[in-house]
Amino acid sequence: MEQLELVELSYSIILTAFVFNIAIALYGLFTRPSLFKKIISLILFSDTINIIAVAIGFRVHPAGSIPPIHSEIPTTLEELVNFSQRSVDPLLQAFVITAVVIGLSIMIFLISIMLRYHELHGSITIENVLEGEKTDEII
Amino acid sequence: MKTLSIGKSDSRARNILVAFSLGLVAMSIGIALHFSGITRFQGQGRRLAEVILLNTYNPWNHTMTSYSLNAVSAVIWDIRGIDTILETIVLLASIIGVAVLFENKTKPSIQPDTSPIVKSTTKTILALTLVIALSTAIHGHLSPGGGFQSGVMMTSVIVLTFPILNIYAYLIAKKEELITLRLILLGMILLVALIPALQYPLTGVYGYIMQNQSKYDSPFSMPSWFIDTPTAGSILLYNFLESFTVFIALIYSILLIYTSREE
């Protein structure tokens, strides 16, 4: 088997593992009653998507792939063309940084809401909170 | 009367069904991804990526280059800079939300009581990490790193010193000033974005908002070299300011959450 085929096969396996990771995260999000576990599942979900985005930007070059950073200041146009042909996609990496910052903002806010929820209801489990609300209505 | 609550056996059956369905979906997507060709590498990269990589540092194409050796920094702060500024504003919106949720919680912490050896060692590590974090921000256009990474490094090291040094009590006392400083830093980022347009009355040279290097119809450019090192124009300034912006946003949120747990 050629080297490229081996790389493609391992890439397929890794991507499939990521997709299963998404499935596990969604399972946690749908079925776990604890808000904390839901938030962990959401973090797992978004991180997996980010890794997939970075992985999609990868590419193979016969001379070897390189990160999208010039190791030295290019002095000729040939060096520049060589760099652009060997480097992995920088656009997806930039998207992921943005996604991480936005994700972080959302997570900070969600965790704060969860803490306030705990202060008000004494629990972060949805079922307990719903039962508590039902009791309040009866009272 | 039948209640809405689900029994344990029902809940278990539902969970198994959800797990089975998700497994099936994951398997289908995995097979689809493999046969769609996304995993088949071509010798050629994406055209857009190649254009960006060709021009991130390209002294032979003055109107397209950013003079940044790090292509990711060039994308973040030059090619799609407005998006990044809005992302910083989203982070501000998030911490304002946290501030509203925990507005009345200002109880100071107990003074940490640790040995002088631990304290002096922690201070050394803190100083070293802060220097590395700053260099990550300032070198963001030359090597892997940038403003966000630097801000996260600074926050992490300071939060880790909370149980040892008295930084927490100091920061919680300056809580309001932190928000003001955060707004000032955001204003400075916006000011850097507006420099190309604001300099017009002084120099008479047209410039676009967030313009970094000269364009085909505007000769204005931010300084791209400092002695013998590329500065990538405004990217250096953005990375530096962004590092403190992220640091303050994160440290403020963590301070409030930390106070909440103490109570």
Side-chain angles (χ1 to χ4, degrees), chain A residues 8 12 68 70 98 105 116, chain B residues 34 41 46 69 71 80 94 101:
Chain A
E8 283 178 3
S12 290
H70 290 279
T98 305
S105 312
R116 288 292 284 162
Chain B
H34 180 73
F41 297 107
R46 291 174 188 84
L69 296 182
R80 44 185 283 274
S94 165
L101 283 171

Side-chain angles (χ1 to χ4, degrees), chain B residues 237-250:
Chain B
L237 296 172
Y238 285 130
N239 270 333
F240 183 72
L241 294 170
E242 172 78 352
S243 68
F244 287 100
T245 310
V246 169
F247 164 65
I248 291 172
L250 293 182

Side-chain angles (χ1 to χ4, degrees), chain A residues 15-88:
Chain A
L15 266 186
T16 311
F18 287 155
V19 173
F20 272 96
N21 218 18
I22 291 174
I24 293 166
L26 287 177
Y27 176 79
L29 200 63
F30 292 151
T31 61
R32 298 291 95 189
S34 164
L35 288 177
F36 187 60
K37 286 178 184 169
K38 279 183 191 297
I39 290 175
I40 290 175
S41 303
L42 203 59
I43 293 171
L44 186 67
F45 180 74
S46 60
D47 284 351
T48 312
I49 298 282
N50 289 341
I51 293 172
I52 288 177
V54 173
I56 286 172
F58 181 70
R59 70 163 131 165
V60 170
H61 191 273
S65 307
I66 53 169
I69 300 170
H70 290 279
S71 51
E72 283 170 13
I73 294 172
T75 47
T76 60
L77 208 54
E78 284 73 33
E79 279 181 43
L80 208 56
V81 173
N82 183 37
F83 169 76
S84 75
Q85 284 170 353
R86 285 179 62 188
S87 173
V88 298

Side-chain angles (χ1 to χ4, degrees), chain B residues 62 65-67 78 211-215 220-224 232-233:
Chain B
H62 290 284
T65 187
S66 306
Y67 286 113
D78 194 2
Q211 182 176 331
N212 185 6
Q213 298 303 314
S214 56
K215 302 293 165 212
F220 174 82
S221 65
M222 299 290 274
S224 55

Side-chain angles (χ1 to χ4, degrees), chain A residues 87-109:
Chain A
S87 173
V88 298
D89 196 334
L91 198 62
L92 289 160
Q93 297 192 12
F95 284 159
V96 165
I97 289 186
T98 305
V100 165
V101 178
I102 303 279
L104 189 77
S105 312
I106 294 167
M107 288 310 155
I108 289 171
F109 193 60

